[in-house]
Amino acid sequence: MAVITLDIGGTKIASAIFLSDGEMMCIRRRLLQGRTGHEVGKLAMEVLAKLLDVAQKKRIPIEGVGVCIPGIVFSQTNRVWAPNIPGWENYPLYEELRMVTPKDIGIFIESDRACFMYGEMWQGAARDCHSAVFVAVGTGIGAGIIIDGRVLHGASDIIGATGWMALKPPYTEAYDECGCFEYYASGNGIGARARDAVRRDKTYRGKLRQKPISRITAHDVFQAYEERDPIAVAVLKQAVEMWGMASANIVSLINPQKIIWGGGVFGPAHIFIHDIYQEACKWAQPLAIKQVQFLPSQLSGNAGLIGAAYLVVKNREHGK
């Protein structure tokens, strides 16, 4: 038996077929290219229909479909909210995918945070763990949390919105849009804080001054850091402090065995994981921080696809 998976992001849809031994095949990626609302849903339907057709032609029996989405899945309705896909505030993704999927094939949808964590526990850095956290740092920041072998969802499926962690008073209206932690330490936040610093320092003539300020991104900041650019160094030092404080709070609250760092920023930020741990040691419960490991993702950007496959496996094991 095999599984089809979709990893829907803010800019693309990745998809694959997983065989029973965990091997991934037929990996495909389609860019959203500005699509919003139903157009994204229509693309997801097309991608799924094509993989179902491939599986049929190759005589691969499909057991289920796993879907990773960049936001919240409302468990009571199976509808989804994805803040970086306009028009997906209460979107009927399940109903649309059901239209192109045979009735005997189950469809399971989960947040990207939870899927990342499932992927690491199945094939990545958190194998053999019963309690672990995946901190996904990309455009925003979120966390997938598994404690005592169970994925946590919370009262209304919003758990893991760690970008809203309060880490630096006093409160400012700048935090309204994305939260304090995300403001400083997400991919968007790192780029924005660097742009602010370049605008403020009229005497600065470093690497980040070589392009229009409005176009400076987190990628540019990491590149400038390699040359010890002072603004890049300062912005990333602040991000490391934030990552350290946030993970210290996570360790003190839920006592995980491992914290896995992934997403587009980790990536280049994996070089800071030791520094993040050292910062966390200042703030965290002293026994718990000595027992936890901080590790980079081992799944090379495929954690969402792999986790979505395991989502199907897990649900089938429980007879769903």
Side-chain angles (χ1 to χ4, degrees), residues 5-35:
T5 63
L6 305 184
D7 180 3
I8 302 173
T11 60
K12 53 78 185 164
I13 297 177
S15 60
I17 295 175
F18 282 80
L19 302 181
S20 58
D21 61 359
E23 179 186 352
M24 185 164 50
M25 60 180 291
C26 299
I27 306 168
R28 300 178 177 183
R29 286 176 172 81
R30 294 283 304 275
L31 295 176
L32 298 191
Q33 296 180 319
R35 291 178 176 88

Side-chain angles (χ1 to χ4, degrees), residues 144-194:
I145 304 168
I146 293 182
I147 299 297
D148 299 331
R150 297 183 61 184
V151 171
L152 304 187
H153 290 90
S156 53
D157 303 294
I158 307 177
I159 201 164
T162 46
W164 296 89
M165 292 179 78
L167 300 172
K168 189 173 182 178
Y171 184 82
T172 166
E173 291 183 0
Y175 300 159
D176 284 355
E177 185 175 348
C178 62
C180 174
F181 185 23
E182 210 165 280
Y183 180 82
Y184 291 103
S186 65
N188 277 355
I190 289 168
R193 301 297 68 77

Side-chain angles (χ1 to χ4, degrees), residues 34-319:
R35 291 178 176 88
T36 61
H38 176 66
E39 289 302 309
V40 179
K42 183 179 177 182
L43 180 61
M45 293 166 67
E46 291 174 4
V47 169
L48 176 55
K50 286 181 180 179
L51 280 181
L52 286 165
D53 187 54
V54 168
Q56 184 177 34
K57 289 178 178 177
K58 292 181 177 291
R59 299 175 183 253
I60 301 173
I62 298 299
E63 183 178 9
V65 175
V67 184
C68 170
I69 64 104
I72 297 168
V73 182
F74 298 110
S75 57
Q76 297 300 314
T77 64
N78 253 336
R79 292 195 166 214
V80 304
W81 173 73
N84 53 356
I85 301 179
W88 275 32
E89 284 76 32
N90 187 33
Y91 192 74
L93 179 63
Y94 177 88
E95 289 94 326
E96 291 192 333
L97 297 181
R98 187 80 271 170
M99 292 170 61
V100 297
T101 307
K103 292 182 179 180
D104 60 334
I105 295 177
I107 300 173
F108 305 93
I109 306 175
E110 184 58 277
S111 71
D112 52 1
R113 303 190 287 264
C115 284
F116 294 157
M117 191 68 261
Y118 277 140
E120 296 293 340
M121 293 189 79
W122 190 32
Q123 295 188 16
R127 277 173 289 195
D128 302 320
C129 285
H130 58 74
S131 298
V133 177
F134 187 103
V135 180
V137 185
T139 302
I141 305 177
I145 304 168
I146 293 182
I147 299 297
D148 299 331
R150 297 183 61 184
V151 171
L152 304 187
H153 290 90
S156 53
D157 303 294
I158 307 177
I159 201 164
T162 46
W164 296 89
M165 292 179 78
L167 300 172
K168 189 173 182 178
Y171 184 82
T172 166
E173 291 183 0
Y175 300 159
D176 284 355
E177 185 175 348
C178 62
C180 174
F181 185 23
E182 210 165 280
Y183 180 82
Y184 291 103
S186 65
N188 277 355
I190 289 168
R193 301 297 68 77
R195 293 192 294 272
D196 290 346
V198 173
R199 289 190 183 101
R200 283 194 305 267
D201 189 349
K202 304 302 182 184
T203 66
Y204 170 73
R205 294 294 180 267
K207 185 175 178 65
L208 296 174
R209 185 68 81 182
Q210 297 174 12
K211 65 187 304 183
I213 294 175
S214 62
R215 293 174 56 192
I216 294 172
T217 66
H219 177 74
D220 298 316
V221 177
F222 281 104
Q223 283 194 326
Y225 179 86
E226 294 176 1
E227 300 179 16
R228 306 306 294 172
D229 176 274
I231 285 181
V233 168
V235 168
L236 291 176
K237 180 178 184 292
Q238 183 169 241
V240 167
E241 290 173 348
M242 292 288 173
W243 292 327
M245 291 175 66
S247 54
N249 291 339
I250 290 170
V251 169
S252 300
L253 280 170
I254 60 178
N255 187 207
Q257 296 163 283
K258 294 181 180 180
I259 294 182
I260 314 301
W261 297 87
V265 171
F266 287 83
H270 77 276
I271 62 173
F272 295 119
I273 289 178
H274 176 73
D275 297 328
I276 295 167
Y277 178 77
Q278 292 301 314
E279 182 67 28
C281 286
K282 301 174 186 176
W283 302 90
Q285 202 285 333
L287 294 179
I289 195 64
K290 290 176 183 176
Q291 297 168 0
V292 68
Q293 289 181 281
F294 283 28
L295 299 168
S297 170
Q298 293 182 354
L299 300 181
S300 302
N302 289 321
L305 284 173
I306 295 169
Y310 184 68
L311 175 66
V312 178
V313 173
K314 181 183 73 72
N315 278 283
R316 285 304 189 192
E317 287 175 350
H318 290 83

